[in-house]
Amino acid sequence: MPAPEVPALTFVSGTKPGETFPLGPDAESWVAGRSSDADLVLEDDTVSRKHARIYTSREALWVRDLGSRNGTRVNGRSVQHHRLRPGDRLTIGASLLRVDSVPLSKVLRDKAGPEETTAGRSMSGSIQDIPLADVLQWLATSRKTGTLRVRGRSLGELFLRQGSIYYARIHGSEGLPAQKALLRMMGWSEGTFELDSAAVDPPDGQEIHVSLEHILMEAARVQDELAHLAERNSIPDERVSLALPPKTAWRELEPDELDMVQGVAEDLSWTEILNRLDGDDVSLTRTAIKLKKAGVIDY
């Protein structure tokens, strides 16, 4: 028979990283806020005195915003009243919490004596558990400065100043424009991230000056359109080759198509072609699909 469990909020980052706040078994409602009278005290100026209420009702866990100044988010979306499920990510001020379940025996054991705190740990986690969009929204809310290192398909770095991204780069893709590198990383669905205090000066002309909202909208557009293209067509992976003999004469190609053919002729990988050519990943993928249908390249 499985051991009984109770829901809990685990601090991914914020005022108490690594700590767990059990939601039970002695109560059915908990107020989170800056006030010392709150059940979950968050000592953070971006948190209202009584910010949100987490409670159980109809055998489910819910959160209700209590008219807070900066709002309450679940999985990156602002909510007034929302049902919470295991794995959901709850943002209150500068604290990012994950909804978990913990053994009842551990809760009772913790009541008998507190464990050593892990508040000194830096922010880190898995992209599978917390997508980069949610991480960046938390960093913006808490106005963090430093470097977010992302280990996904390769090693990427996002540089932040007071919560705003001002530069991005991917190791091994030197020369890739900063905003293009940022959007590429936003598409990574697996890997890890960690935040430290390092900072760099961006190369001349490479500083990013767009809002987080624009970045998130553009990243979502790119990923949605790439997924839509993949549903209807074969799209390049890494190896791209010339179709010889070509079914369409090269002299009939447009300049941007010839640029891609040249990259293929130089035996570049698809990622290297995306990095070299102008245009976002969606427009370049469309060009590759067109060239494949024309019998000029193959993949």
Side-chain angles (χ1 to χ4, degrees), residues 122-123 138-139 144 146-149 160 193-197:
S122 62
M123 178 186 180
W138 176 82
L139 293 171
K144 291 289 186 180
T147 300
L148 186 71
R149 288 189 173 82
L160 301 110
F193 62 86
E194 60 184 8
L195 179 70
D196 65 32
S197 58

Side-chain angles (χ1 to χ4, degrees), residues 53-67:
R53 183 165 71 95
I54 301 102
Y55 65 97
T56 57
S57 176
R58 303 191 299 276
E59 299 183 350
L61 187 66
W62 302 79
V63 62
R64 182 182 295 278
D65 185 82
L66 299 177

Side-chain angles (χ1 to χ4, degrees), residues 107-172:
V107 175
L108 298 175
R109 187 168 61 249
D110 289 348
K111 286 178 179 291
E115 296 180 353
E116 182 181 356
T117 182
T118 57
R121 297 194 304 180
S122 62
M123 178 186 180
S124 62
S126 163
I127 298 173
Q128 295 94 308
D129 294 335
I130 312 172
L132 283 181
D134 289 356
V135 176
L136 293 177
Q137 286 178 327
W138 176 82
L139 293 171
T141 300
S142 53
R143 299 180 64 81
K144 291 289 186 180
T145 295
T147 300
L148 186 71
R149 288 189 173 82
V150 185
R151 290 175 171 83
R153 297 174 187 172
S154 53
L155 173 61
E157 293 174 314
L158 300 173
F159 299 93
L160 301 110
R161 185 187 299 123
Q162 294 293 303
S164 297
I165 301 170
Y166 67 89
Y167 182 51
R169 66 188 179 192
I170 297 175
H171 289 246

Side-chain angles (χ1 to χ4, degrees), residues 222-233 235 286 289:
V222 169
Q223 295 310 309
D224 286 348
E225 293 195 25
L226 285 175
H228 189 53
L229 288 173
E231 288 175 358
R232 298 177 298 162
N233 307 274
I235 65 174
R286 287 199 181 105
I289 292 170

Side-chain angles (χ1 to χ4, degrees), residues 22-35:
L23 301 172
D26 300 330
E28 296 183 348
S29 178
W30 304 264
V31 171
R34 197 176 73 251
S35 170

Side-chain angles (χ1 to χ4, degrees), residues 15-16 31-52 66 68-70 92-93 95:
T15 58
K16 307 173 182 180
V31 171
R34 197 176 73 251
S35 170
S36 59
D37 295 331
D39 302 291
L40 176 55
V41 178
L42 301 173
E43 297 177 352
D44 172 5
D45 289 341
T46 64
V47 174
S48 298
R49 290 182 58 78
K50 292 186 177 181
H51 195 106
L66 299 177
S68 64
R69 184 175 70 254
N70 291 314
I92 300 177
S95 290

